[in-house]
Amino acid sequence: MLDDKIIILSALAYIGILFAVAYYADLCARQNRSIINRPVVYTLSIAVYCTAWTFYGSVGRAASTGIGFLPIYLGPTLVALVFWLLFRRILQIVKTQRITTIADFISSRYGKSQALGGLVTIIAMIGIMPYISIQLEAIAISFAILRQYPDIEAVDIATTGTLWLDTSFYIALLLIIFAILFGTRHIDTTERHEGLVAAIAFESLIKLLAFLAIGIYVSYVLFNGFGDIFAQAAADPELIKLLDFSAIPGGFGGWLSLTLISMAAFLFLPRQFQMLAVENTDERHLRTASWLFPLYLLVINLFVLPIALGGLLLLQDYPVNADTFVLALPILGQQQELALLVFIGGLSAATSMVIAETVALSTMICNDLVMPILLRSRRFRLNHQTDLSGVLLAIRRISIALMVILGYLFFRYVGHIFPLVTIGLLSFAAAAQFAPAILLGMYWQGASRIGAMLGISGGFLVWFYTLLLPFSGWLGAEFIEHGPAGLTLLKPYALFGLTGLDPITHAVFWSMLVNIGLLVLGSLIAEPSIFERVQAQRFIGNTPEDELLVWEGSVQLSDLRTLVARYIGQERTDKAFSNYARRHQITLTDTQQADPALIHHAEQLLAGAIGAASAQVLVSSIAKGRRLEMDEVMTILDESSQIMRYSQQLEQQARELSAAYEEIRKTNARLRELDQLKDEFVSTVSHELRTPLTSIRAFSEILLANADLEVKQRNEFLQIIVSESERLTRLVNQVLDMAKLESGRIEWDMQKLDLRQPLQDAINATWQLLEDRHIQLEQKIDEEPIDFYGDHDRLTQVFINLLSNAAKFCPEQEGEIAITVQCQDSIRITIRDNGPGIPEQHLQTIFERFHQVSNQQAGKPVGTGLGLAICKSIIEHHQGRIYAVNNADQGACFVVELPTHDSVLAQTESNV
Amino acid sequence: MPKQYRDSLLALFVAGFLFFNYPLLALFNHTLLWCGIPILYGYLFTVWLGLIGMAAWLINRSK
């Protein structure tokens, strides 16, 4: 018979087994024969996700919404599929940075901010409290129902008597003891609790088996299989609604929002983070968990709907809450062993949650809330009490007790009016507030601490206003119906007029909007500090590396040891330090100064015990000198880079200066050269001008003086005067030409002509000269006309010049001049003489101005030196080339190359 | 894990997300029974089992 004593004894026996399992696991861990280092155990440990909510509440929810209980398990399934991609990174960060809680994780990412860690902890406490309460509620109700076996009576929690007779109170006390015993036995630098994990995994197994047992019983004993149940349900007009979406509050939108928050909750609930990340022993377990965990979820949920429908069909006449169908049905069927098994299963589900959650929360409260406050008091820091690990443990134990009692009170005075799942979703929505800061922080460097603080606070406030406040009923029905002080826009279930959503979806929408919005806005406005950026890089970067070692100052090794030992115990400290020494193959003596790497290692050891932010504060307080703030490091680097830039600028300027100097020097030399040339020119020209002028004057005077000169002689003198005048004219013209050519003021008379014409004109003009010198002229000119576009007179001038030059340098009596004209790709005119030729070094320079080739035969320079320069200018204006070569045998050859008319046209066209 | 397996798992995630939501979900939003099972219920659990199976297969292959 099932009476109080038997139930209580069974419960105690079960908890006794749990203790044994946990104790055994811890023992094995101490002997380094860990039994939890298996993927199956890991998977079962994260199945702590399924609590009394799953065990009792799912059926309750299915009974009113049909398949609407399912998204809470589909979300984690999807997340598990991408474990290896998403969570592995988080796992690595947790391991390398010695992160112990979710508050630690968030605070660490955003520059080891103690304020942020504290905020997250408080939110977690408030948010999880309802969740703990429903576990206690489940235990209380299940006990109350079971003890009435074989009757099924209504159970009203309010009538379960005073505190001292309330079994759930004693269960709560028992849970506190269990959690303390297995969660806070010592301060570990990694916060792992092997016994705890083993117990949790065991409980996951028990609850699964119990639920399967009841499922099979309902489906195949009370009914004839699934087909029977569903057929009967379909026949009932009320129940048929449960087979599709019609009974699901919020429809597809509600379905989606439940999926999303359960994804967030699965990762970021404190107990989940603890089991998934902190307690993980091997990252490869993630791979198995990827499919094994969804399988667990599937199996445990398979029978939920059938049980719910079965309960609705069979228990219509009984005043039983659907949350308790799993117990009521075996009682109905008079199966007391099964009922007891179900009770144990529910107990298992509830206790695993409470233990795991309170241990995680207590670590958070100690490391991220209490320690930072304690460390602010100098008195505490300077206190040379040898062992503070006792203080830490005490803080944690008190926290555990506190959370359980708070949960108990919530259950007794508030929570029992709502179905289990609804309260549970409250907590899910609270845990979801951590998701944006974490997920965005993992991928966006620009996410800043200010943004995270604003986002999380804002989201939490919205959650508080739209869920916790109305649910608690403190402000009464008026508040819900008409908003605060009648402001309908601020109705907690319909903010700003957004109606049509169920309260949970509504709250999730607004809180996420505010959370993400403030996170992004805050990060854009208040950019992350340099240290935040460094931390972000560690979280986002591809491989978590060792920290930048920026400890300045020094601390004696013994002091460091003492500090660490105060928090994690002497024995562990010694072990850790000797491991470090062995790994780095150095010896550590107490009197030596600890190097930055060792200081960093010590900081990490402390971080495992009291959180990263507090550890940093502590170590910096004892290191003489201080840890360089990141900002300072950056300023120093900045200054150096500024100096470097400055010196680079100076170098460049020096280079530019020397280049300019070189430039000036060259220009100066050139100017001097030109000046000299100018002087030469002036003297030459004046000499050249004076010579004929002198002759003209001389002969004119003679003529004037001697009036009775012979006619012949007079004519001879006049002839000289004439020719000298001509020479003078020629010279002046040349000079003027040159000047005009140089300044570009010449007017070209460009026309279409036959190039043979200027040549012929030139030949005609110099004919007399050639005749006089008895020079033989040979012409090889095409029969065809040569089309050309140019200035006729100028071209003639060129050819005259060349011919007369050739004539001047030809030997007397034996001179030969050959003119050839070729017209193929370009027009080529050559004028060869058989004179002495031109010395090699002068072949180029003869075309320069004022250059005069001394003609031995003539005895003095002939001409002004301008003639060929003028020719060059003219030919170049016609886009041609003029140059001189020496003949193979004797004499020089002047070559004029001009582009054909066609190629000129082509060029002009391409230039247009 | 080689890239193609990671990508396949990601694809599985996306597929799961699509299958488990509107509008694909709406296709099965009827109260019919198929082989005695409501089609919505059957659809969800079948897809669920399928995703698990595929994930298990992929992960075993990648080892």
Side-chain angles (χ1 to χ4, degrees), chain A residues 4 8 143 147 159-170 408 412:
Chain A
D4 283 11
I8 293 173
F143 180 72
R147 70 209 289 240
T159 64
T160 50
T162 62
L163 197 68
W164 307 116
L165 298 178
D166 186 355
T167 6
S168 50
F169 179 68
Y170 292 103
Y408 175 76
R412 264 200 88 104

Side-chain angles (χ1 to χ4, degrees), chain A residues 162-227:
Chain A
T162 62
L163 197 68
W164 307 116
L165 298 178
D166 186 355
T167 6
S168 50
F169 179 68
Y170 292 103
I171 301 266
L173 285 178
L174 214 59
L175 286 176
I176 294 174
I177 296 172
F178 192 94
I180 289 175
L181 271 181
F182 284 99
T184 57
R185 239 170 339 148
H186 50 248
I187 302 290
D188 191 283
T189 53
T190 56
E191 283 301 332
R192 294 221 278 112
H193 315 86
E194 300 234 348
L196 186 70
V197 173
I200 302 293
F202 179 73
E203 297 213 270
S204 294
L205 203 57
I206 298 295
K207 67 195 177 206
L208 178 69
L209 292 174
F211 202 83
L212 282 179
I214 178 70
I216 292 172
Y217 173 74
V218 170
S219 308
Y220 296 101
V221 175
L222 292 183
F223 291 86
N224 287 323
F226 274 25

Side-chain angles (χ1 to χ4, degrees), chain B residues 23-39:
Chain B
L24 284 173
L25 201 54
L27 291 176
F28 293 87
N29 184 13
H30 306 287
T31 56
L32 304 170
L33 295 181
W34 187 72
C35 301
I37 314 279
I39 52 167

Side-chain angles (χ1 to χ4, degrees), chain A residues 837-848:
Chain A
I838 302 167
E840 278 294 327
Q841 64 266 37
H842 291 314
L843 275 175
Q844 297 271 4
T845 58
I846 50 174
F847 291 98
E848 281 175 22

Side-chain angles (χ1 to χ4, degrees), chain A residues 531-550:
Chain A
F531 187 56
E532 279 174 53
R533 259 197 266 266
V534 171
Q535 283 295 104
Q537 198 46 46
R538 273 190 216 124
F539 277 66
I540 297 173
N542 277 326
T543 36
E545 328 131 339
D546 277 337
E547 255 184 59
L548 294 173
L549 300 172
V550 283

Side-chain angles (χ1 to χ4, degrees), chain A residues 19 76 159 367 369 374-375 432 438 457 558 574 808:
Chain A
F19 270 98
T159 64
N367 288 356
L369 199 57
L374 280 182
L375 284 179
I438 295 177
S457 327
S558 54
D574 291 337
K808 275 188 221 150

Side-chain angles (χ1 to χ4, degrees), chain A residues 609-667:
Chain A
I610 60 173
S614 306
Q616 182 187 327
V617 170
L618 263 184
V619 178
S620 64
S621 73
I622 69 158
K624 287 196 202 64
R626 64 233 149 93
R627 179 193 186 109
L628 278 178
E629 280 306 307
M630 261 303 128
D631 298 305
E632 285 172 325
V633 175
M634 281 324 196
T635 314
I636 293 172
L637 284 177
D638 224 13
E639 277 170 13
S640 337
S641 70
Q642 261 178 24
I643 291 171
M644 265 172 51
R645 260 203 309 274
Y646 188 61
S647 77
Q648 268 172 2
Q649 273 174 6
L650 282 176
E651 268 178 43
Q652 186 163 2
Q653 274 173 5
R655 269 199 302 272
E656 278 168 14
L657 275 174
S658 77
Y661 174 70
E662 193 56 37
E663 194 72 34
I664 289 174
R665 207 177 52 77
K666 278 198 222 151
T667 312

Side-chain angles (χ1 to χ4, degrees), chain A residues 857-875:
Chain A
Q857 290 175 327
K860 66 170 170 68
V862 177
T864 55
L866 282 178
L868 282 174
I870 293 175
C871 289
K872 184 159 179 259
S873 257
I874 292 173
I875 295 297

